[in-house]
Amino acid sequence: MTPRVVLDPDIPEKARAVLAANTPLLPPPSAPPPRPRFGGRGPGTVALAACQAPIWVYLPVLACWQYGKRAKIAGTVAEALIIAPIAIWGFYGLAFNMLWGLPLQIIAFITVLVRSGEPELPKLIRRHKDGYVRPEELNGLAPALLDRAQAAVDGVTRSEVNREGLLDEVRNTVTLPRQLWDIAETLAELSHLHAEQEQKTMGLTTPRVVEALRPRRKALNLATESVVKRVEALERYAARTRAADQALLELRALQNLAEGGDAYRDLLARTVRDDLAIAEIDDLTERARRIEEALHDSVEQARKAGLSLVPQAS
């Protein structure tokens, strides 16, 4: 499994969705796209606005047809208001439309020009250039640690017990993205410092260079160990969640078997003593009870493992 881009959960939801849909296009945070002159509006944009202005004024039904149902209705009504003077007064109606249409064309031209220009993605990248971590920026153990963290988070969020709301108290939709972002951000900083060390030492490993690096490497190792512990905590949570999932599936299987118990009870009652038939069915019921207890225990263990992550997130 290859680690994915991690986005800061504090980025507004709409902007985060656009960035998430374009992760292959995200540049290194140190090299965001430059801000274009005039907002990216050039002669082509001006020509496009000039062509669209009369369409918005005289053919609104055509201009609005690419939008939603309400826009189509509004465009149809506006088109009827434009055609009505021509249908009633003929040439004078046409002249009337041309007269009041000119200032509206100027307004439409300015509106189209303002709303055109640079696409949304480059602007969002510049605005949130420190709000994402690309796996390509990581080195050493960092990519593997990020991969492990993402796999653990995926395991929890896709679990059946999470979908059933049995882990609601942990607030996985809030806690896990925050945990993943904190881990990714720390790994990016560690990778940057590792690369900086390599650059400054020029690859030398002489005793004096190694001795000078000792305090810095100790700090990096301690920080890496801290991240490893956080990743392991996520993996423990994912493991507890898998155990709870297994218990839930077993409980459902036994419940499905128990639902058909009456037919087996009738069959056994016709062939053997009633008490034997009851014992057979009661055994199935007891198995379901034990699995249900195991499920409650597994969910409780997963819940505790998840709650242990919350103080770190805060």
Side-chain angles (χ1 to χ4, degrees):
M1 183 176 176
T2 303
R4 307 181 300 273
V5 171
V6 181
L7 298 171
D8 185 350
D10 289 336
I11 296 175
E13 184 177 354
K14 187 176 179 181
R16 193 166 65 248
V18 173
L19 293 172
N22 294 278
T23 51
L25 303 178
L26 298 181
S30 58
R35 190 183 302 276
R37 295 179 60 188
F38 308 113
R41 300 173 185 88
T45 311
V46 174
L48 179 64
C51 292
Q52 288 192 4
I55 296 176
W56 278 101
V57 174
Y58 297 117
L59 293 173
V61 66
L62 179 62
C64 293
W65 205 255
Q66 59 183 319
Y67 300 102
K69 183 178 179 181
R70 293 182 178 180
K72 291 179 181 179
I73 295 173
T76 304
V77 172
E79 193 68 43
L81 293 175
I82 292 170
I83 295 174
I86 301 175
I88 297 173
W89 297 307
F91 174 78
Y92 295 104
L94 178 61
F96 173 76
N97 283 347
M98 295 295 292
L99 182 63
W100 64 259
L102 182 59
L104 288 182
Q105 286 189 67
I106 296 174
I107 295 173
F109 171 78
I110 295 173
T111 302
V112 172
L113 188 63
V114 169
R115 294 183 64 87
S116 301
E118 186 183 20
E120 182 182 25
L121 182 60
K123 291 188 284 189
L124 289 177
I125 291 174
R126 282 197 302 273
R127 188 177 307 155
H128 303 291
K129 61 184 178 63
D130 296 322
Y132 61 86
V133 171
R134 303 188 324 149
E136 295 84 355
E137 307 300 314
L138 306 181
N139 55 43
L141 296 175
L145 287 172
L146 181 59
D147 187 26
R148 287 169 56 185
Q150 288 178 327
V153 168
D154 290 344
V156 174
T157 55
R158 296 172 184 173
S159 67
E160 191 67 20
V161 289
N162 185 59
R163 285 195 293 266
E164 291 289 333
L166 299 177
L167 301 175
D168 274 356
E169 190 178 350
V170 184
R171 298 193 304 154
N172 288 318
T173 56
V174 175
T175 300
L176 295 182
R178 171 54 58 191
Q179 285 286 333
L180 193 56
W181 171 247
D182 288 346
I183 289 172
E185 200 173 24
T186 304
L187 290 175
E189 181 64 18
L190 287 171
S191 297
H192 171 72
L193 292 174
H194 274 297
E196 188 180 67
Q197 276 190 9
E198 291 294 326
Q199 182 182 10
K200 289 184 175 180
T201 60
M202 298 179 292
L204 294 177
T205 56
T206 61
R208 279 191 288 264
V209 170
V210 171
E211 184 61 29
L213 280 177
R214 192 182 305 278
R216 298 186 181 188
R217 286 183 173 170
K218 183 178 180 181
L220 291 178
N221 290 337
L222 289 173
T224 302
E225 289 175 8
S226 178
V227 175
V228 170
K229 289 178 181 178
R230 295 185 70 170
V231 173
E232 289 173 345
L234 282 173
E235 289 176 331
R236 285 194 297 272
Y237 184 26
R240 295 290 189 183
T241 304
R242 285 195 299 272
D245 258 4
Q246 184 63 32
L248 179 60
L249 291 175
E250 288 182 12
L251 176 62
R252 286 178 174 172
L254 286 174
Q255 287 174 337
N256 291 336
L257 291 172
E259 287 176 0
D262 290 342
Y264 287 94
R265 186 190 299 270
D266 293 341
L267 176 63
L268 290 171
R270 288 196 301 269
T271 55
V272 297
R273 296 195 312 272
D274 286 344
D275 56 347
L276 179 58
I278 292 171
E280 292 283 345
I281 303 303
D282 286 347
D283 178 63
L284 190 61
T285 303
E286 176 62 19
R287 289 174 184 269
R289 186 190 65 78
R290 290 198 297 268
I291 293 296
E292 188 169 6
E293 290 179 355
L295 170 63
H296 290 318
D297 181 64
S298 296
V299 169
E300 179 64 18
Q301 293 296 325
R303 189 186 67 82
K304 289 180 179 178
L307 288 174
S308 70
L309 300 172
V310 177
Q312 297 181 33
S314 63

